[in-house]
Amino acid sequence: MRKFLLLITSSIILLPSLKAQKTIVVENPTKQQRSELVAIGADQLGVEAGNGVIVRDAFGIERTTQWTYDGKLLLPVHVRPNSKATFTVVEGTPAAVLSSVGGAMYPSRLEDVAFENDRIGIRLYGPALQRKGEKGYGHDLWVKRTTELILPELYSNDPRLSFHLDYGKGLDCYAVGPTLGCGTPCMIRDGKIVYPWCYETYKILDKGPLRFTVQVDFPSTDGITEHRVLSIDKGSNFFEATVWYSGLKQPTDIAAALAIRDSDPTPVVIGDGFVHYADPTIDPARHQTQIYVALLFPDEKVTIQQQEKHALGILKNCTSDRRFHYFFGAAWSEFDVHSQAEWQCRIDGFMQARQQPLQVTVK
């Protein structure tokens, strides 16, 4: 009798969990192995965004997840060609994990906003730099040779460390100067670049462990304000950018840019919806490495051209309600991409994945 009561009690306890359990099926429609993050809407899962959920793979192992600021659950998956991967999801408290992304505003370095993942890092110059009158227009890059997060150490003001020297984890050897650097947006007026100044305000939207997202807004000029949302995912060389300009009084061309060095003989490669370049670093003779940079436009029809020492992807006739969506990225020859040919392969794979996304269903 006692065993019978225990069985009934166990069933009563387990029933709600079994009833709430759902299955996530991720289908790969291509002939290529895929390892990516997928984003699943809270409405698909039937839970409130931000609620604790536990996702397990086919072996029953818990997978790292993250709720994004816009109500999507991020899940890292790998799926064989023309195959399906299945996961189960229940409500609960997920296990704590180390973050693969991170970032902050660093007052110690003139209010830089800097962030990184396990491959690459970036910084945006802040209002304190602009108050000094310096021309901090463009995105700067941090190159890495480790999957560890290194920016807190580099910004620690340790007198033994320099941003521009490699102590075994990475450094800043990308030259920005008075250029648009890597992936910076701008307006085009009368056929010429309108250089943006440093950001005015910032807001961190996602903190990890799988995605870091920040919104930066810029000082208004003639009633026009630039808004820029940037994010980076674990395992990716490519930052995602969404840019718009409020207050436009007439349709305006906008662009994303890559700085091209005057003295560098490396050709710029222009393809269908992308442009890339092998940057020679700030001191080519001593570094003897390259930083591979790219602009990718899988979702936009742009005109790609070179002018004013930049490669530009130009979107024509934008209005204030038009969001310009693109990707930009980088890799270092001393870490995960060792040649420009390999960089081309990584670009091709990214573009193909955007054209044929993984298919996600929840049952």
Side-chain angles (χ1 to χ4, degrees):
M1 182 67 172
R2 184 170 181 174
K3 289 183 179 179
F4 179 70
L5 289 173
L6 284 172
L7 181 60
I8 293 174
T9 304
S10 298
S11 300
I12 292 171
I13 293 171
L14 291 173
L15 185 59
S17 296
L18 292 172
K19 187 177 180 181
Q21 178 174 297
K22 293 193 175 183
T23 300
I24 300 170
V25 180
V26 182
E27 183 175 0
N28 177 4
T30 72
K31 297 179 181 179
Q32 305 298 323
Q33 175 73 28
R34 302 281 289 271
S35 297
E36 301 170 23
L37 285 184
V38 295
I40 309 164
D43 54 343
Q44 287 180 269
L45 294 168
V47 298
E48 185 176 347
N51 279 9
V53 294
I54 298 171
V55 178
R56 299 186 185 278
D57 64 16
F59 291 100
I61 298 173
E62 183 178 345
R63 312 311 300 180
T64 300
T65 58
Q66 176 189 331
W67 283 109
T68 64
Y69 78 97
D70 54 352
K72 297 174 183 175
L73 186 73
L74 298 180
L75 173 66
V77 302
H78 46 267
V79 195
R80 284 173 49 80
N82 297 121
S83 187
K84 298 178 182 179
T86 302
F87 304 84
T88 58
V89 56
V90 295
E91 293 193 53
T93 302
V97 296
L98 291 175
S99 185
S100 296
V101 298
M105 189 276 282
Y106 291 94
S108 62
R109 180 47 180 81
L110 299 173
E111 301 174 319
D112 285 356
V113 166
F115 56 101
E116 64 183 314
N117 70 350
D118 48 348
R119 293 179 184 266
I120 198 73
I122 188 176
R123 65 169 165 167
L124 285 70
Y125 299 115
L129 183 75
Q130 183 165 331
R131 287 193 292 271
K132 292 181 63 178
E134 293 192 36
K135 298 177 179 180
Y137 304 129
H139 298 155
D140 193 14
L141 293 173
W142 301 94
V143 295
K144 300 174 61 171
R145 60 165 81 248
T146 176
T147 58
E148 298 174 28
L149 301 183
I150 66 172
L151 291 184
E153 182 178 358
L154 290 174
Y155 276 103
S156 66
N157 287 330
D158 187 331
R160 298 169 297 174
L161 300 177
S162 166
F163 285 179
H164 303 295
L165 297 178
D166 178 18
Y167 300 99
K169 293 184 179 180
L171 73 160
D172 172 9
C173 59
Y174 180 75
V176 180
T179 76
L180 292 173
C182 182
T184 310
C186 63
M187 291 188 293
I188 306 291
R189 285 182 181 164
D190 300 322
K192 295 183 179 181
I193 293 171
V194 179
Y195 288 83
W197 278 101
C198 303
Y199 79 86
E200 183 174 46
T201 62
Y202 78 98
K203 182 178 181 181
I204 294 174
L205 303 177
D206 291 318
K207 297 181 179 180
L210 299 173
R211 174 177 293 171
F212 184 93
T213 305
V214 63
Q215 177 169 334
V216 283
D217 300 302
F218 291 76
S220 295
T221 304
D222 298 327
I224 300 171
T225 304
E226 182 196 329
H227 311 275
R228 194 183 306 177
V229 176
L230 304 174
S231 67
I232 187 69
D233 290 349
K234 175 186 178 181
S236 179
N237 290 93
F238 301 106
F239 298 87
E240 184 171 6
T242 302
V243 180
W244 67 101
Y245 294 84
S246 58
L248 290 175
K249 299 175 178 62
Q250 60 187 18
T252 302
D253 295 349
I254 60 178
L258 289 179
I260 308 300
R261 313 306 171 188
D262 278 342
S263 59
D264 188 44
T266 305
V268 176
V269 178
I270 297 176
D272 184 12
F274 67 83
V275 55
H276 69 84
Y277 172 63
D279 190 279
T281 77
I282 200 169
D283 191 347
R286 289 196 292 178
H287 284 302
Q288 290 295 320
T289 64
Q290 290 182 314
I291 304 172
Y292 307 111
V293 293
L295 293 171
L296 311 179
F297 305 96
D299 310 317
E300 303 279 13
K301 295 295 183 182
V302 300
T303 301
I304 297 176
Q305 63 186 50
Q306 288 183 246
Q307 68 181 66
E308 298 182 54
K309 303 177 185 178
H310 290 85
L312 301 174
I314 302 173
L315 187 65
K316 301 284 188 178
N317 299 318
C318 293
T319 55
S320 287
D321 58 351
R322 179 66 159 90
R323 264 53 171 174
F324 183 24
H325 183 237
Y326 63 95
F327 296 83
F328 64 95
W332 191 30
S333 62
E334 289 299 288
F335 188 35
D336 60 330
V337 174
H338 302 100
S339 69
Q340 194 170 15
E342 190 176 339
W343 185 229
Q344 179 70 70
C345 289
R346 189 153 295 186
I347 291 168
D348 290 342
F350 183 89
M351 295 291 282
Q352 290 165 9
R354 292 291 301 182
Q355 292 162 4
Q356 293 184 283
L358 298 173
Q359 305 299 313
V360 180
T361 56
V362 180
K363 301 177 181 180

